């Protein structure tokens, strides 16, 4: 299988968004994606880009992506967060996920980060096994905590009276 791993360009965001939708369906959240192609372009390629994206390409078709962004750890210092690593279903098992993760790890090393972190849904056993095989520590005793837009508004409404 011949594929290319490269840094994404703004013109790739249509295909990247398709992968994001595919992941949402896989995670049983098919209606959760609110982003548009223009959002991705504006957030990733404007004056203040919020993320870095790497893509895997086969015959000019993007079949995988990894999207990372900077974070800061009060214990460690600079870190990056891997938001998503997605390989289209028909291309899984060809080494593309490994190649994308390798690109992310190299990027992290080049950025001199102290850690690369990400989440994996607890029922995705193949992904968990893949990450553990690569030496990642899956921290099953931690829970992800989020406030969505409604939660933010409810929180502030409760404290503002």
């Amino acid at each position: 299988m011949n594929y290319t791993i490269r840094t994404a360009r703004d013109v790739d965001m249509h295909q990247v968004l398709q992968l994001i939708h595919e992941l949402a369906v896989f995670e049983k959240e098919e209606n959760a994606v609110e982003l548009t192609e223009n959002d991705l372009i504006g957030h990733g390629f404007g004056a203040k880009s919020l993320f870095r994206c790497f893509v895997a390409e086969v015959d000019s078709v993007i079949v995988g992506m990894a999207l990372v962004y900077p974070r800061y750890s009060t214990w460690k210092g600079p870190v990056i967060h891997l938001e998503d690593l997605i390989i289209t279903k028909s291309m899984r098992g060809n080494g593309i996920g490994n190649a994308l993760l390798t690109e992310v790890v190299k990027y992290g090393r080049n950025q001199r980060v102290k850690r690369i972190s990400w989440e994996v849904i607890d029922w995705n056993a193949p992904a968990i096994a893949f990450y553990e095989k690569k030496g990642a520590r899956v921290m099953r005793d931690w829970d992800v905590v989020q406030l969505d837009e409604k939660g933010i508004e409810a929180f502030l409404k409760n404290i503002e009276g």
Side-chain angles (χ1 to χ4, degrees):
M1 168 70 46
N2 289 328
Y3 54 83
T4 303
I5 306 296
R6 62 174 174 78
T7 300
R9 300 182 294 260
D10 59 353
V11 296
D12 298 326
M13 292 303 103
H14 176 74
Q15 292 180 76
V16 166
L17 185 58
Q18 289 175 326
L19 287 169
I20 292 168
H21 281 284
E22 184 176 335
L23 177 65
V25 169
F26 174 75
E27 292 185 354
K28 301 172 180 71
E29 293 281 347
E30 51 272 348
N31 296 318
V33 178
E34 298 176 8
L35 281 176
T36 67
E37 179 181 345
N38 286 334
D39 290 333
L40 287 168
I41 292 168
H43 296 155
F45 301 91
K48 286 182 140 185
S49 66
L50 300 176
F51 63 83
R52 178 82 171 233
C53 185
F54 302 98
V55 295
E57 194 173 49
V58 174
D59 297 328
S60 301
V61 176
I62 293 173
V63 298
M65 62 81 92
L67 189 143
V68 299
Y69 57 87
R71 290 175 62 180
Y72 192 82
S73 166
T74 57
W75 289 9
K76 302 291 183 186
V79 300
I80 58 174
H81 182 80
L82 172 59
E83 180 65 19
D84 284 320
L85 175 65
I86 308 166
I87 311 304
T88 195
K89 187 175 183 177
S90 65
M91 297 304 289
R92 292 180 195 151
N94 289 302
I96 296 170
N98 183 59
L100 279 168
L101 185 58
T102 299
E103 193 68 22
V104 167
V105 173
K106 286 179 180 178
Y107 174 74
R109 183 182 60 194
N110 289 340
Q111 297 296 306
R112 299 185 187 273
V113 300
K114 300 292 185 174
R115 182 176 65 218
I116 302 168
S117 61
W118 63 96
E119 289 93 29
V120 60
I121 202 159
D122 64 356
W123 51 259
N124 191 348
I128 292 169
F130 171 75
Y131 295 138
E132 288 179 332
K133 182 179 176 186
K134 297 299 174 191
R137 183 171 46 134
V138 178
M139 301 171 69
R140 291 178 173 89
D141 53 341
W142 284 77
D143 291 323
V144 176
V145 179
Q146 298 179 335
L147 278 173
D148 62 10
E149 285 178 302
K150 289 180 183 177
I152 291 167
E153 292 306 317
F155 178 97
L156 293 174
K157 183 178 179 182
N158 287 335
I159 64 166
E160 293 170 351

